[in-house]
Amino acid sequence: MVHSFKQGWQTLKSIFTGMGITIRHFFGPSVTLQYPDERDVLPKLARSKLFVNIDDCIGCNLCARACPVNCIDIETVKAGADVDLGKTSNGSQKRLWISRFVIDMAKCMYCDLCTYPCPTDCIYMVQEYEYSDFNRDNLVYKFSNLTPEKIAEVKETARIEAEEAEKKKAEEAAAKAARASKASDSRPSSVPGAARGIPGSAKGIPGKAKGIPGASKGVPGKAQGIPGAAKSIPGKAKGIPGAAKGVPGKAKSIPGTAKGVPGAAKSVPTAAKGVPGKAKGVPGAAKGVPGKAKSVPTAAKNVPGKAKSIPGTAKGVPGKAKSVPTSAKSVPGKAKSVPGTAKSVPGKAKGVPGKAKGVPGGGAAKVPGKSTAKQVPGKKPPKENKDNNTD
Amino acid sequence: MIEIVQKGKSRPEMVINMGPQHPSTHGVLRLEVTLDGELVTHVRPHIGYLHRCFEKYGESVGDYGMVTPFTDRMDYVSAMNQEHGYVIAMERLLDIEVPERVEYIRVIMAELQRIASHLLAVGTFGLDLGAFTPFLYVFTEREKILDIFEKSSGARLLYNYMCIGGLMRDVDDDFKKDTEEFVRTFRPKITELQNLLTYNSIFIKRTAHIGVLPPKVALNYAASGPVLRGSGVKWDLRKNNPYSIYDRFDFDIPVGEGEVGTLGDCWDRYIVRVLEMEESCKIIEQALEAMPDEGDVQQNVPKRVRTKPGEIYARTETPRGELGYYIISDTSAKPYRIKARAPSFVNLSLLPAISRGSLMSDLVAIVGSIDIVLGEVDR
Amino acid sequence: MAKSTQEIFDYLKAAYPEVDLVLESAKLGDPWITIPAEHWKKIAKFLRDDSDLRFDTLMCLSGIHYPDEVLLAIACHLHATEKGHTLAIKVKVPESNPNIPSVESIWKTADWHEREAYDMFGIIFDGHPDLRRILCPDDWEGFPLRKDYVPQESYMGINTKYTEVEASDD
Amino acid sequence: MTWLESLPLAVFVMIPLVIILIYALFAIWMERKVAGFIQDRLGPMRVGGWHGWAQSFADLLKLIQKEDIIPAEASKFLFRFAPFLMFAASYAAFAVIPFSSAYMGSNIDIGVFYLLAITSLLTISVIMAGWASNNKWSLLGAMRTAAQMVSYEVPTIMAVLSVIIVAGSLNLMTVTEMQSGNDTLGFLPNWLIFQNPFLLVAFVIFFISILAESHRVPFDLPESESELVAGFQTEYSGMRWAMFMLAEYADMLLLSLLGAVLFFGGWNSPFGGFMDGPIWGFFWFMFKGMILVFVMMWIRWTLPRYRVDQLMYLCWSILIPLSFINFVLIALWEMLF
């Protein structure tokens, strides 16, 4: 009984204590701001929105590579030797036209990782935080200040220059590749390229893998063993990017490679499926260190045996390239060319595939057909590309 | 109309889905509750609604540094602690020495974050039990901590502030002053919270003797953090297995004592959190005192993280318990395998064991007292 | 007193001479002991109950995929609260027959961890009372954390691929 | 009686409705302001200018425009009917409330009896809503409500009866009138609460019970949002949901006003004859009611909620025995003095 009363008293006491606290707050000041009328002052470093001072940008692509979610997309065109693009505010010489610098703020996760590597400090977070929009497209911010005409012009110039260079290179590369095919022991360092590569340069020239220098390598017709033969156990591919980002759905075949010695290797499933007999192709692609993607598969049109092009190799050592994804399924025998690429934007395998039907279909998966189409004129329209993915 | 299942001769039972959209499940947790009247006969938690593939991401982003922002997003309520765990794991794997100043800043940040996280935990716990106001009072305090974080890191919730070998940037000039000011004004607020909520008799009625977790069971379930300490087990990695520079500080590990109810009940888990805030204040004060004023926080940051094959399991004490990162590296630039052992995930798994036989309303209290963050449960 | 992995290994070796235990380590980080799957449960019980070891908590249980060796594995990190020692254990099984005995009855916490390993890697835990997927939906195809995982193209009519929305350049 | 003749009567009858509607809008605004101030916020500040006074109107407009959703599996008639029944019950009870010395809807001799009886309809409407929604949360909420309201009616009635034996009448107007003037000592109003020490206890019991009757914290189990989502209102939206809110606030006012009549002298001025009269009477009456409403809000924003069994324990093991003992003691006191 006494206990009950004590308890009852405790209850009432604690209730009144609580009510005393709340009534004090009732008469106390409010801690809130009337938002649209009053605004908090954000600290200097507040991370709210990315901004690029495009005049200072040298197109080095470091920010795009640092982005974990790939929300930055940069496309550059090499300036002609005689063009002076000026210098940035900290004195670096600019050598590239920035034909495209797009940040998708809808994807951005505000981690600020892109701002650290920038050599000219031209990308940074600003404090503007009120930029919500009803249309997601409006959150894609474009920073390039070139007009479309100007872009077309500089691209054309670059294309011509590149074509010439390419020709030279292709010849050299063919010779090299022939040599290389024998040398089978070198070890590829790399991870198959799956995702990363963007054909950048290749822009426009079909059939001719041009691009990125170093990268391409083709497999000569007989490619020694690479294709079919190559076996690399899929599992090994360490990196298979694929898996992660997008690897092509179909890609079951992502041959991996690494580790294996080319040629010798054991088979890649994919390839196998696709191309029996005809070693078609597999253009290989080697890639370097992730992140730097590079690879480009490419073998243009080649019919086996005929392969003409052989593009080069990754990182220089021909013969090493190994992997080629390609989707076997789709292209038996006919792998048409895939231009290669290089820009490495991580994750964005944008252009890769493209055209080739055979191409890495898989890759395509994540890549919208669009960009490719643009870049490789003359090749199959993007639609087809899509179809390819789905089947 | 409403289906009431009657199996055999047992009493009729009703199966009810609590969540994934339910005010007291703290996110998208779904509990499949079997009720006999209002009595809970069985609970089956269903998780995965917030699964964002942290592990898959970790294995596919460009390099080790890019994983950090994703760790923030696991337990978004204590992002600093998540980062701290990850960078410590990587530093231990790569054997990187971290500058003194960085260690101190990290510890202060981690303890501030612990306070912020516990504030949220006790606030929402009150909210679950119908006390709305304490929630907003503690939120006011939490805002002050977030302001401190924002000044230094630039963000209020997902900081990406620590990096392997150091910090992304040095702290703000006002950091020391702000933190001292915060600790000073925060202590009276704990007292106020104690009066308003902790010792409120209705609150005690709702939490004492509810969801009792015996220490043996807690260990068998590998519970950690306040859930384990609430059961009276004096186990805190900061003390028992010190990482970073925690061995330099003098602080206590509060444990549940069954003060108003049974040892290991909801109230004990709650009070451990409240008392831990006090301890964190102590650590912060000592760390502020001892922190070197100068020093380059980036000096030991590797330009590029290069690894060899190896594996490490490193654990740290977050507000919710033991956070372990199991990282397998190879020669590539990204983790071969990264697994996060999330404390909420483990703590939530013992929910069925401690909620059987309680009432529907107690279930709410039990879930609140475990203090889960679904981002971490599902990763 | 806390024992090192080496000491525990020797101790186990002495207790189970017939079992093929291997102490392994990589260039970086901590060593671990590899235990054949068929002996795992027995040894787990020993680890928990032996008075010198007393591994009363299972901190973490993670699945791992080794596509090179066509293996699946689990890594268990044990901890002894009183003794203060920790131990990493791996159990490897072939991909074609990924059966590992469940230790749910020894450490309750293994329940969800094993479900997660099953969900992500397809490792089957024999004797687990409720081996369902935990993070993915029950009818999800494939095991996402395997290195050769290919996501299904659509789930319940929803396209699982991310299509990039991009504004045109003009 | 032609319609023209009955018009004044209709207007007469409508007066409480107007009061309820205006009060409900005001009370909802006030609840938010009270919550805001207690929580160091400001509450609504934008709509209408000064301290967002028009916020409730804006909400009402929004609710009116909302789609009237009826779950496919619901029992349609009952689902539609429940909110109106609930409001009707609250509204009908106002008939016997003496708003001022000049106005009372129906001056009947069994006023208290009528009021308590008709508010029991609320229980039925809540069960109706909960069951008809065909939702498990609603059903649980409805069951809790039924148990809670039926239980708490007992202490409420006992507390009211305690007053009635002192006042000697079931007519609320009579009860009010006998509290006019100052008490024998001359400095306290002649209110019942000051007349008998045990009536103070009766008031505490009464106040706790009306908190439970009107589902206010700490007894808001029927709609406890962190457990039952919104209890019996879970499936309601738009205007029908607004009817529930209206009825709930009306119920709160009704019971507060009843408290004012029974314990605080109804429309009598606290200053004896000063500031007296029908208009002032109305003001004082509403003022007293609103004070009680404010205390209910204040409690709501301070306390956590009881659990269902604790609520029942409080009612059956504490309040009811206490109210019976108290009843006897009051009767004894009345006999002795």
Side-chain angles (χ1 to χ4, degrees):
Chain A
M1 191 68 186
V2 175
H3 179 70
S4 310
F5 274 113
K6 213 172 137 200
Q7 221 176 23
W9 169 241
Q10 284 295 340
T11 305
L12 285 177
K13 199 176 123 196
S14 71
I15 288 173
F16 286 127
T17 314
M19 289 176 74
I21 291 170
T22 45
I23 201 74
R24 271 204 298 284
H25 281 271
F26 184 89
F27 293 109
S30 121
V31 296
T32 51
L33 289 180
Q34 294 300 303
Y35 164 60
D37 304 329
E38 305 166 29
R39 272 156 221 258
D40 209 353
V41 182
L42 295 190
K44 283 200 304 295
L45 296 171
R47 313 201 298 246
S48 296
K49 184 179 167 187
L50 274 175
F51 179 77
V52 177
N53 181 356
I54 197 72
D55 293 337
D56 270 4
C57 179
I58 57 170
C60 63
N61 215 17
L62 285 174
C63 50
R65 224 177 287 157
C67 181
V69 291
N70 302 324
C71 72
I72 306 178
D73 187 13
I74 303 177
E75 180 187 275
T76 53
V77 180
K78 219 163 159 200
D82 50 341
V83 184
D84 180 17
L85 291 177
K87 296 198 170 180
T88 63
S89 56
N90 69 356
S92 320
Q93 177 65 40
K94 294 205 271 183
R95 297 179 199 288
L96 299 166
W97 293 105
I98 320 282
S99 56
R100 180 178 160 78
F101 196 127
V102 172
I103 298 181
D104 187 347
M105 285 310 285
K107 271 202 224 162
C108 177
M109 65 178 193
Y110 309 93
C111 63
D112 211 20
L113 285 175
C114 52
T115 65
Y116 294 96
C118 185
T120 61
D121 289 336
C122 70
I123 182 167
Y124 46 87
M125 287 277 186
V126 293
Q127 295 173 14
E128 184 193 340
Y129 52 88
E130 291 160 310
Y131 56 96
S132 55
D133 203 292
F134 288 105
N135 186 349
R136 200 176 295 174
D137 290 350
N138 294 345
L139 292 175
V140 178
Y141 291 89
K142 301 191 195 71
F143 293 97
S144 172
N145 54 5
L146 300 187
T147 59
E149 296 78 34
K150 182 71 178 164
I151 293 175
E153 184 198 319
V154 300
K155 279 189 180 172
E156 181 60 20
T157 323
R159 187 181 71 83
I160 292 168
E161 276 181 17
E163 215 162 43
E164 281 161 12
E166 167 62 19
K167 249 183 233 159
K168 253 207 274 169
K169 208 182 239 159
E171 283 157 23
E172 275 167 26
K176 242 199 222 166
R179 253 179 290 133
S181 49
K182 315 204 159 153
S184 48
D185 53 354
S186 26
R187 326 198 42 225
S189 50
S190 61
V191 178
R196 277 20 183 3
I198 299 192
S201 336
K203 261 6 174 349
I205 318 209
K208 274 68 199 309
K210 57 218 358 335
I212 304 266
S216 15
K217 103 142 30 8
V219 179
K222 274 19 199 358
Q224 308 332 351
I226 301 217
K231 266 358 190 356
S232 44
I233 309 198
K236 258 102 182 291
K238 326 299 277 331
I240 309 221
K245 265 68 193 316
V247 172
K250 273 51 209 331
K252 29 209 13 274
S253 53
I254 306 212
T257 256
K259 269 45 187 350
V261 178
K266 350 314 249 346
S267 66
V268 173
T270 299
K273 238 171 210 204
V275 185
K278 265 75 182 316
K280 316 313 255 311
V282 173
K287 117 106 50 16
V289 180
K292 258 78 190 311
K294 32 299 288 353
S295 69
V296 179
T298 318
K301 291 1 238 316
N302 24 209
V303 179
K306 276 48 206 313
K308 45 204 15 301
S309 56
I310 314 216
T313 259
K315 275 20 200 0
V317 183
K320 271 54 201 353
K322 37 267 296 351
S323 61
V324 177
T326 314
S327 41
K329 300 173 148 206
S330 45
V331 185
K334 264 93 190 280
K336 263 62 176 322
S337 58
V338 179
T341 352
K343 264 88 181 315
S344 65
V345 175
K348 285 223 152 167
K350 288 273 178 59
V352 176
K355 39 303 331 29
K357 12 208 18 284
V359 173
K366 63 149 30 126
V367 181
K370 253 183 201 185
S371 53
T372 312
K374 243 183 224 162
Q375 299 172 341
V376 186
K379 281 332 195 114
K380 311 244 171 174
K383 257 209 196 141
E384 296 236 353
N385 192 6
K386 256 181 198 157
D387 293 345
N388 227 344
N389 300 335
T390 43
D391 57 26
Chain B
M1 295 175 60
I2 287 170
E3 209 179 321
I4 302 214
V5 189
Q6 175 133 30
K7 287 186 217 128
K9 281 190 187 149
S10 63
R11 302 177 58 184
E13 291 187 337
M14 178 163 79
V15 176
I16 192 162
N17 272 305
M18 193 163 150
Q21 285 89 27
H22 187 279
S24 68
T25 51
H26 294 221
V28 281
L29 168 67
R30 178 178 146 223
L31 300 174
E32 190 184 316
V33 186
T34 312
L35 289 180
D36 170 4
E38 286 227 17
L39 218 56
V40 175
T41 55
H42 192 52
V43 182
R44 248 163 57 137
H46 293 260
I47 62 172
Y49 294 90
L50 201 56
H51 180 45
R52 290 153 305 166
C53 326
F54 164 75
E55 291 165 19
K56 194 80 184 169
Y57 253 116
E59 291 161 26
S60 25
V61 289
D63 64 38
Y64 285 94
M66 287 188 202
V67 177
T68 329
F70 291 101
T71 63
D72 283 345
R73 281 155 178 80
M74 282 201 306
D75 179 355
Y76 38 77
V77 181
S78 60
M80 281 289 183
N81 299 86
Q82 306 285 308
E83 286 170 13
H84 200 189
Y86 176 70
V87 297
I88 282 180
M90 285 311 295
E91 282 155 10
R92 211 174 279 172
L93 180 69
L94 300 168
D95 219 2
I96 296 174
E97 183 78 9
V98 181
E100 269 300 84
R101 180 169 158 82
V102 171
E103 290 283 26
Y104 277 102
I105 295 174
R106 281 183 183 176
V107 164
I108 296 170
M109 290 291 185
E111 293 307 316
L112 282 173
Q113 180 76 85
R114 190 181 311 276
I115 295 176
S117 170
H118 281 338
L119 283 174
L120 186 78
V122 299
T124 49
F125 186 39
L127 196 57
D128 288 340
L129 301 178
F132 201 103
T133 301
F135 172 70
L136 284 147
Y137 292 171
V138 300
F139 242 64
T140 313
E141 298 308 304
R142 183 172 176 266
E143 283 298 300
K144 293 179 190 162
I145 298 177
L146 299 192
D147 284 343
I148 294 174
F149 286 162
E150 190 184 20
K151 272 192 179 172
S152 291
S153 74
R156 297 179 71 82
L157 191 65
L158 306 164
Y159 316 102
N160 191 24
Y161 182 62
M162 302 180 188
C163 63
I164 299 164
L167 300 171
M168 294 303 263
R169 44 163 73 121
D170 206 342
V171 291
D172 185 74
D173 299 337
D174 295 339
F175 177 71
K176 208 163 174 170
K177 197 184 79 202
D178 289 349
T179 314
E180 273 163 5
E181 166 76 11
F182 167 76
V183 173
R184 198 172 53 71
T185 56
F186 179 61
R187 287 230 167 86
K189 300 287 179 177
I190 299 183
T191 319
E192 186 184 271
L193 178 72
Q194 299 275 41
N195 287 334
L196 181 58
L197 190 63
T198 312
Y199 290 101
N200 181 291
S201 76
I202 300 178
F203 181 77
I204 291 176
K205 278 209 175 78
R206 287 296 308 277
T207 52
H209 308 291
I210 306 297
V212 176
L213 174 65
K216 276 244 160 71
V217 177
L219 284 172
N220 200 249
Y221 270 98
S224 51
V227 176
L228 179 64
R229 292 193 282 277
S231 296
V233 181
K234 208 161 180 134
W235 175 259
D236 188 319
L237 287 169
R238 290 174 296 167
K239 205 72 167 178
N240 300 64
N241 197 352
Y243 55 94
S244 191
I245 50 167
Y246 276 109
D247 44 357
R248 298 183 198 174
F249 303 115
D250 169 37
F251 63 99
D252 293 334
I253 309 170
V255 291
E257 288 161 356
E259 185 183 337
V260 298
T262 318
L263 178 66
D265 60 15
C266 291
W267 194 87
D268 279 350
R269 290 193 278 276
Y270 164 90
I271 197 70
V272 164
R273 293 195 178 92
V274 177
L275 298 177
E276 259 177 36
M277 293 196 277
E278 189 82 49
E279 299 305 317
S280 291
C281 286
K282 276 195 211 162
I283 298 178
I284 292 169
E285 279 172 344
Q286 293 168 45
L288 281 173
E289 190 84 2
M291 183 171 90
D293 285 334
E294 297 299 323
D296 180 9
V297 297
Q298 288 259 317
Q299 83 188 44
N300 288 2
V301 177
K303 272 263 170 309
R304 206 168 155 68
V305 178
R306 293 190 191 285
T307 54
K308 289 180 251 176
E311 26 192 279
I312 189 91
Y313 177 78
R315 43 197 192 136
T316 53
E317 184 79 26
T318 74
R320 273 162 202 80
E322 170 186 324
L323 171 73
Y325 281 103
Y326 177 45
I327 300 170
I328 304 184
S329 61
D330 57 9
T331 46
S332 74
K334 48 193 165 187
Y336 178 77
R337 169 92 172 95
I338 178 165
K339 152 117 185 177
R341 182 265 196 214
S344 297
F345 177 80
V346 176
N347 292 348
L348 180 63
S349 73
L350 51 76
L351 176 67
I354 60 175
S355 56
R356 202 159 299 142
S358 56
L359 288 167
M360 183 75 197
S361 314
D362 295 337
L363 189 57
V364 171
I366 295 170
V367 173
S369 73
I370 296 179
D371 184 25
I372 45 171
V373 167
L374 265 291
E376 191 181 54
V377 174
D378 296 343
R379 283 153 294 156
Chain C
M1 223 41 271
K3 288 177 187 248
S4 70
T5 304
Q6 178 67 50
E7 286 162 346
I8 294 168
F9 175 71
D10 296 340
Y11 189 81
L12 277 181
K13 213 43 186 164
Y16 291 97
E18 79 282 8
V19 177
D20 181 23
L21 300 171
V22 193
L23 178 67
E24 293 180 83
S25 64
K27 286 196 181 117
L28 300 175
D30 306 333
W32 66 90
I33 297 173
T34 305
I35 295 177
E38 63 272 25
H39 301 296
W40 167 225
K41 189 161 182 182
K42 179 174 69 186
I43 293 180
K45 198 154 179 2
F46 177 75
L47 287 168
R48 185 191 66 176
D49 295 338
D50 185 84
S51 56
D52 279 351
L53 299 177
R54 287 234 175 274
F55 284 107
D56 51 0
T57 44
L58 171 65
M59 298 186 287
C60 184
L61 189 155
S62 343
I64 310 168
H65 186 203
Y66 293 105
D68 295 9
E69 294 110 40
V70 205
L71 288 178
L72 289 167
I74 54 167
C76 298
H77 294 87
L78 304 177
H79 177 251
T81 319
E82 290 160 33
K83 307 269 175 190
H85 41 227
T86 58
L87 178 65
I89 284 175
K90 271 190 195 176
V91 181
K92 295 183 181 172
V93 284
E95 236 177 75
S96 54
N97 180 26
N99 289 43
I100 296 181
S102 166
V103 289
E104 191 266 351
S105 54
I106 297 169
W107 296 291
K108 282 283 180 196
T109 186
D111 183 353
W112 281 23
H113 281 301
E114 286 178 354
R115 280 176 66 189
E116 188 183 324
Y118 163 71
D119 189 358
M120 294 293 152
F121 293 90
I123 300 169
I124 294 168
F125 292 90
D126 297 327
H128 190 285
D130 187 22
L131 197 61
R132 286 177 293 130
R133 282 190 177 262
I134 187 165
L135 294 175
C136 296
D138 289 347
D139 48 356
W140 193 257
E141 290 166 18
F143 302 106
L145 283 180
R146 286 198 185 183
K147 297 287 178 188
D148 55 1
Y149 170 68
V150 178
Q152 62 194 83
E153 301 209 337
S154 75
Y155 173 71
M156 310 281 280
I158 305 163
N159 191 6
T160 57
K161 298 220 173 94
Y162 175 68
T163 355
E164 198 152 342
V165 181
E166 220 167 297
S168 53
D169 273 335
D170 45 26
Chain D
M1 195 154 68
T2 68
W3 69 270
L4 205 59
E5 283 166 357
S6 60
L7 191 62
L9 181 63
V11 171
F12 189 72
V13 170
M14 297 296 272
I15 290 174
L17 185 62
V18 175
I19 293 172
I20 292 173
L21 290 176
I22 293 174
Y23 151 80
L25 291 175
F26 173 74
I28 290 171
W29 174 82
M30 174 173 154
E31 174 107 276
R32 301 164 92 169
K33 292 310 265 191
V34 170
F37 286 139
I38 283 184
Q39 296 167 352
D40 295 344
R41 302 182 284 122
L42 287 172
M45 286 296 285
R46 303 196 69 78
V47 185
W50 183 80
H51 271 263
W53 66 270
Q55 185 64 48
S56 301
F57 289 96
D59 289 345
L60 184 69
L61 281 179
K62 181 196 74 177
L63 287 171
I64 289 173
Q65 291 171 43
K66 276 186 134 179
E67 187 187 353
D68 181 22
I69 298 168
I70 299 175
E73 296 295 312
S75 171
K76 305 231 170 14
F77 173 73
L78 293 180
F79 186 85
R80 289 198 185 102
F81 185 55
F84 299 105
L85 179 63
M86 190 168 183
F87 179 68
S90 295
Y91 173 46
F94 278 91
V96 294
I97 295 288
F99 283 96
S100 94
S101 52
Y103 177 77
M104 185 179 187
S106 170
N107 194 350
I108 52 176
D109 284 342
I110 53 160
V112 173
F113 181 69
Y114 166 83
L115 190 148
L116 293 171
I118 203 140
T119 49
S120 301
L121 275 180
L122 293 172
T123 320
I124 294 177
S125 59
V126 167
I127 294 186
M128 205 185 262
W131 185 81
S133 298
N134 192 20
N135 174 318
K136 291 171 184 174
W137 300 112
S138 302
L139 185 67
L140 274 178
M143 289 307 157
R144 283 183 177 189
T145 318
Q148 174 178 333
M149 292 182 70
V150 169
S151 307
Y152 275 89
E153 245 161 44
V154 182
T156 316
I157 290 172
M158 288 312 296
V160 172
L161 279 185
S162 314
V163 179
I164 298 306
I165 56 169
V166 175
S169 168
L170 285 172
N171 185 329
L172 288 172
M173 188 61 102
T174 316
V175 173
T176 313
E177 277 162 357
M178 66 164 290
Q179 301 182 57
S180 303
N182 282 359
D183 70 354
T184 42
L185 298 175
F187 63 89
L188 280 176
N190 191 21
W191 296 349
L192 284 172
I193 187 121
F194 302 123
Q195 290 186 2
N196 183 326
F198 297 107
L199 275 181
L200 190 62
V201 180
F203 174 69
V204 173
I205 295 170
F206 176 80
F207 188 73
I208 294 175
S209 305
I210 63 171
L211 279 177
E213 285 279 287
S214 53
H215 319 152
R216 300 291 299 182
V217 169
F219 308 106
D220 65 335
L221 290 107
E223 63 237 35
S224 53
E225 85 282 348
S226 59
E227 294 159 27
L228 297 186
V229 193
F232 65 90
Q233 314 168 342
T234 306
E235 296 289 351
Y236 283 88
S237 65
M239 214 41 220
R240 283 179 213 285
W241 179 79
M243 292 297 278
F244 276 129
M245 288 313 277
L246 187 60
E248 199 158 290
Y249 278 91
D251 198 30
M252 219 167 118
L253 179 68
L254 175 74
L255 294 167
S256 299
L257 292 180
L258 180 64
V261 174
L262 295 179
F263 297 98
F264 297 102
W267 40 255
N268 287 301
S269 160
F271 311 111
F274 181 60
M275 289 168 81
D276 212 354
I279 304 292
W280 277 114
F282 178 72
F283 167 79
W284 287 121
F285 186 55
M286 292 307 285
F287 179 77
K288 290 168 186 169
M290 294 312 289
I291 294 278
L292 286 181
V293 169
F294 171 78
V295 175
M296 287 161 99
M297 290 175 178
W298 178 14
I299 289 177
R300 168 165 181 188
W301 298 110
T302 303
L303 298 181
R305 157 187 326 119
Y306 271 111
R307 201 174 60 196
V308 67
D309 60 324
Q310 292 161 350
L311 175 103
M312 288 301 169
Y313 175 83
L314 179 66
C315 178
W316 292 101
S317 298
I318 299 176
L319 291 183
I320 291 181
L322 195 60
S323 61
F324 273 98
I325 295 169
N326 195 47
F327 181 72
V328 173
L329 290 176
I330 287 173
L332 281 175
W333 182 279
E334 282 304 303
M335 265 166 63
L336 296 176
F337 300 96

